[in-house]
Amino acid sequence: MVRPDLLSHYPRERTWLLPALQAVQRVEGWLSPEALDEVAAHLRVPRSEVWGVASHYPELRLAPRGRRLVRVCTGLACLARGGREVLGACEQALGVRAGETTPDGAVTLEELDCAFTCGVAPVAEVDHRYVGRVTPADAPRLVATADRDHSPARVTVTDRGHAPPVAGAGSPLARFAALKREAERRRTGARLAVGVGTCGLAVGAAETYEALREEVARGNLPFSVVAAGCNGLCWAAPVVEVLRDGRPRLTTGPITPDVVPRLLGALSANMARQDLAVDPEYMAAQQRVLIERCGMADPYDIADALRHSAYVALAHALEDGRPERVIEEVRAASLTGRGGAYFQTAVKWAACRAAAGQPKFLVVNGEEGEPGIFKDRHLMEGSPHRLIEAVVLTAWAIGASRAILYIHGEADLSAERVGVALAQARAWGLVGEEILGTSFSLEIEIRRGAGGFVLGEETALLESLEGQRAMPRTRPPFPVEAGLWGKPTVINNVETLFAVPSIVSRGGAWFAGLGGGHGTKLFGLSGHLRRPGIVEMEVGCTLRTLIEDVGGGIATGRPLGAIVLGGPSGIVVHPRHLDEPLVPRGPVNPGTGGVVALDDTVGVREAVRTLLAFNTRESCGKCTPCREGTARLLAMLDGPVDAGRVKPLAETVQLASLCGLGQAAPLAMLSALAEFPEALTRP
Ligand SMILES: Cc1cc2nc3c(=O)[nH]c(=O)nc-3n(C[C@H](O)[C@H](O)[C@H](O)COP(=O)(O)O)c2cc1C
Ligand code: SF4
């Protein structure tokens, strides 16, 4: 029987179906038939439908698994770096194949489509703890069943933000000034900010953080040690930013525990350690607007966020009192959706504001389930208060009274940090009732996904919030008219929203002045690059800039073979297009910004097969052309590909599919056929 308290706090409404199933699975490890019955009885949802939902989401388990779960990523970025060899070594060490459990029930081994930690590929995951840069030689250690701590790597942080300041009075700006004074009062001196994001943790950032704390305490050194997010330099992780008042930031890495004494010794003696510092040119090549605070500010401390200018745009906008002005600035900025479709953000917002229904909703799409892209996690982990500020601003602009942050089911660190930031913002009067003393109130809640690429499609996501299977809806009506529970709803990607505070503070024209009118864009660099990680560039940069100047070129010393741009919905690009600017809807479309650079040892056929196989598995099956067509295209890769057969089928899949998954699924194959015909057509 399910522990009664697990279900009792969920209201008897269908929207709580997925959270209830997740809660049971978290405690029991899987969803037994009895548990499904109990959820059905509590929520008053028919048993068949509970089963239908439970069997739909890949992260929900209808059978028990081993006591330990080991997963190895074989997505393209990991594949390029030897992920399949690591998986093979694990299979050998355990004596089972991927997808099986050892006969004693000790370990289940699985293959992962993407661990979203591509900057430290290849990656394995042991009981939800990521381990990066693994090799086949690590297999025995990864699958070891002995009593080892496999709990997710984490660091001990003291919550510095919850104690709220005494509520101020007066106008929004006057109240905000009081908060700023309090934040300044809590300022600490020089700081060592460790990049404790998912990528950093996978390669030892927690150990670096603890070693720094110990050494600083032991030597009574004038630094405080902060667990920040990552600054995007996965290649140099574990990274430590040295932040001293009145001096330029010093970015150092990799700082492993054995290097800590050297770093601290050099800092104490005021010596420059060039061997530990990261080349400042790497940062200078970027235009870091959205990620300006990532790696610098303490994500667990609202006071630090305020000292880094968080919530300034919100305070000024509320003081101004005209929500339409926010929409106008976003229109002037020409901000377009960074979820991949590049739709005009202001058009959606204005339509929702003008729509008749009430209440209105804002849904933040933090689902990020496309292999090869890991930018939204980076933003949420590194700068969660910026997201909260953007959400409050956006909700105010569109007339929403409720916002839902929908975060990928496995992005635990993102959810944790956004959750802490949300609680702090509430305690400081920046979320909830009568924000900064105005009549505007906003409730924000966090929901978690349960896997599946199509879940990130906006209407599938709404279905899941309503307690249904994640299957896209037909449009019209569009969500801005009839979205969540039939009410006007704006759905925005995390990166899109991250641009909003800067646009409101600095003006839409300023943002439009960057990137040829398109602003800036985050890119996730991975594959064979020497410097994988997250970077922010002006839109319109070239692949050459990304791959050679920022990414450091190909680490293996072999020639660049191909670039996969935009994940499984994207294209395979030939190196001859390195100088083409990356412009949305242009000849080389950046898509969601995943850049997987492959040397010439990875066959283009293999790359296309990986992408197409993913889309085939992930098709929700609602449309026949997508369900059947992707599988047939995939089968064509087993022999010499006949372009004459591919093209009409691809066209049918693209034209007759309901959502972007089917519409984009053939692109990788079509682009490869156009650019690398010999790789696909030869026997
Ligand atoms: C299969 C599929 C998966 C998607 N996954 C995501 C996702 O993970 N995150 C996201 O923001 N948008 C995703 N989208 C795009 C959304 O449908 C939607 O366009 C986006 O959330 C709108 O926000 P934006 O205008 O700010 O980009 C996906 C679309 C499709 C077709
Ligand atoms: S296009 Fe594919 S994923 Fe999208 S609704 Fe149709 S079957 Fe589902």
Side-chain angles (χ1 to χ4, degrees):
M1 191 176 140
V2 171
R3 243 176 45 200
D5 61 303
L6 278 183
L7 296 178
S8 57
H9 67 277
Y10 289 111
R12 293 170 179 259
E13 296 161 0
R14 180 146 186 170
T15 179
W16 298 108
L17 178 50
L18 197 50
L21 292 171
Q22 288 167 322
V24 173
Q25 178 165 296
R26 236 185 333 269
V27 172
E28 307 211 331
W30 69 296
L31 296 166
S32 64
E34 297 73 33
L36 294 181
D37 284 354
E38 287 185 51
V39 171
H42 178 75
L43 294 179
R44 300 195 182 112
V45 175
R47 285 169 63 201
S48 59
E49 297 204 17
V50 170
W51 198 89
V53 168
S55 60
H56 174 80
Y57 291 90
E59 282 170 27
L60 299 180
R61 293 175 182 271
L62 297 177
R65 58 166 176 81
R67 293 187 292 283
R68 290 250 146 95
L69 176 64
V70 177
R71 306 202 286 179
V72 180
C73 182
T74 55
L76 210 47
C78 284
L79 187 91
R81 295 248 178 185
R84 193 152 283 156
E85 289 71 21
V86 175
L87 179 66
C90 288
E91 288 181 327
Q92 208 172 15
L94 286 171
V96 296
R97 307 295 305 269
E100 294 175 354
T101 300
T102 53
D104 61 355
V107 183
T108 297
L109 180 66
E110 291 179 352
E111 189 172 352
L112 257 182
D113 285 320
C114 190
F116 303 101
T117 319
C118 316
V120 291
V123 178
E125 192 203 313
V126 183
D127 291 343
H128 303 293
R129 178 184 195 140
Y130 293 105
V131 192
R133 300 179 193 143
V134 287
T135 67
D138 294 315
R141 179 173 66 90
L142 294 172
V143 304
T145 54
D147 253 355
R148 288 181 43 223
D149 178 17
H150 284 286
S151 57
R154 46 180 54 254
V155 295
T156 326
V157 286
T158 27
D159 186 339
R160 288 173 288 279
H162 270 301
V166 179
S171 71
L173 274 182
R175 287 168 191 251
F176 185 67
L179 298 183
K180 281 282 274 196
R181 279 196 297 278
E182 177 61 22
E184 281 302 332
R185 203 184 59 75
R186 298 183 189 196
R187 185 184 281 276
T188 52
R191 302 177 334 145
L192 302 172
V194 186
V196 185
T198 301
C199 288
L201 285 169
V203 291
E207 290 76 6
T208 299
Y209 174 78
E210 296 302 343
L212 269 174
R213 271 165 51 112
E214 272 170 34
E215 281 291 305
V216 163
R218 207 173 52 81
N220 203 15
L221 301 177
F223 290 105
S224 53
V225 181
V226 173
C230 285
N231 55 10
L233 283 75
C234 305
W235 54 277
V239 169
V240 177
E241 294 272 9
V242 183
L243 306 167
R244 294 163 290 193
D245 286 340
R247 298 179 63 170
R249 77 198 266 192
L250 172 68
T251 308
T252 64
I255 306 295
T256 44
D258 56 309
V259 178
V260 161
R262 250 199 299 151
L263 173 66
L264 291 177
L267 291 174
S268 301
N270 238 339
M271 272 160 42
R273 287 293 309 229
Q274 295 307 341
D275 55 327
L276 300 179
V278 167
D279 175 11
E281 286 300 308
Y282 178 81
M283 293 293 196
Q286 302 181 44
Q287 181 63 260
R288 294 168 71 97
V289 176
L290 278 55
I291 55 176
E292 62 187 349
R293 284 181 222 143
C294 291
M296 310 283 280
D298 181 348
Y300 295 99
D301 185 1
I302 189 170
D304 198 29
L306 257 67
R307 291 194 296 270
H308 282 90
S309 305
Y311 300 103
V312 170
L314 174 67
H316 281 275
L318 291 179
E319 180 81 13
D320 175 74
R322 288 174 292 173
E324 301 84 356
R325 284 255 326 246
V326 173
I327 301 184
E328 284 321 309
E329 289 302 339
V330 169
R331 193 187 304 281
S334 297
L335 180 65
T336 52
R338 299 316 199 223
Y342 293 99
F343 187 80
Q344 284 286 340
T345 305
V347 171
K348 278 201 311 207
W349 289 13
C352 182
R353 185 163 182 83
Q358 285 291 349
K360 293 175 184 171
F361 296 97
L362 170 64
V363 175
V364 180
N365 193 339
E367 182 44 35
E368 194 166 54
E370 187 163 65
I373 189 71
F374 45 109
K375 64 184 178 80
D376 293 341
R377 285 163 169 78
H378 180 81
L379 293 171
M380 289 186 278
E381 290 174 5
S383 202
H385 281 287
R386 191 182 182 107
L387 181 61
I388 305 292
E389 180 182 13
V391 166
V392 181
L393 268 169
T394 306
W396 184 60
I398 65 172
S401 54
R402 197 169 151 199
I404 298 175
L405 312 183
Y406 198 100
I407 300 177
H408 192 280
E410 291 178 346
D412 287 341
L413 197 58
S414 299
E416 180 200 307
R417 290 189 177 167
V418 172
V420 169
L422 181 55
Q424 293 178 348
R426 205 175 270 129
W428 283 50
L430 294 159
V431 166
E433 293 292 314
E434 301 184 345
I435 295 170
L436 288 176
T438 64
S439 59
F440 174 57
S441 301
L442 179 71
E443 266 323 306
I444 305 182
E445 67 177 284
I446 295 176
R447 293 285 190 102
R448 304 294 302 279
F453 176 37
V454 77
L455 176 53
E457 195 281 336
E458 57 184 20
T459 58
L461 197 145
L462 296 181
E463 286 289 299
S464 114
L465 283 171
E466 293 184 11
Q468 309 285 348
R469 291 175 152 222
M471 287 175 135
R473 297 175 179 173
T474 41
R475 279 154 288 192
F478 290 93
V480 287
E481 300 152 352
L484 193 56
W485 296 297
K487 302 296 181 191
T489 304
V490 163
I491 301 141
N492 271 133
N493 171 255
V494 168
E495 183 186 346
T496 313
L497 291 175
F498 256 69
V500 172
S502 297
I503 288 172
V504 172
S505 276
R506 300 162 91 163
W510 161 79
F511 192 76
L514 300 171
H518 297 280
T520 62
K521 168 90 197 83
L522 263 59
F523 290 93
L525 307 184
S526 65
H528 283 127
L529 289 176
R530 205 180 297 277
R531 299 199 294 217
I534 294 284
V535 298
E536 184 176 354
M537 309 292 293
E538 290 193 44
V539 173
C541 69
T542 63
L543 275 173
R544 189 180 300 285
T545 305
L546 282 175
I547 287 176
E548 294 179 1
D549 304 346
V550 185
I554 297 296
T556 57
R558 295 197 60 90
L560 172 67
I563 306 112
V564 172
L565 189 58
S569 301
I571 50 175
V572 186
V573 183
H574 195 284
R576 76 170 76 95
H577 298 299
L578 279 184
D579 293 313
E580 194 78 52
L582 301 181
V583 179
R585 300 170 202 264
V588 186
N589 182 0
T592 42
V595 179
V596 189
L598 304 170
D599 74 13
D600 63 349
T601 61
V602 180
V604 167
R605 185 188 289 266
E606 176 74 350
V608 174
R609 193 195 302 280
T610 305
L611 302 171
L612 201 48
F614 176 79
N615 282 325
T616 306
R617 277 194 303 279
E618 295 296 317
S619 167
C620 78
K622 188 165 176 168
C623 327
T624 310
C626 171
R627 187 185 63 234
E628 300 297 328
T630 48
R632 286 179 193 208
L633 285 172
L634 181 62
M636 287 181 191
L637 285 168
D638 289 340
V641 175
D642 176 355
R645 286 181 63 220
V646 167
K647 285 184 181 157
L649 176 57
E651 197 170 301
T652 307
V653 175
Q654 288 180 300
L655 289 176
S657 287
L658 179 60
C659 87
L661 190 149
Q663 290 157 11
L667 284 179
M669 193 156 174
L670 290 174
S671 55
L673 261 178
E675 296 293 337
F676 304 88
E678 70 295 348
L680 298 192
T681 52
R682 69 165 177 248

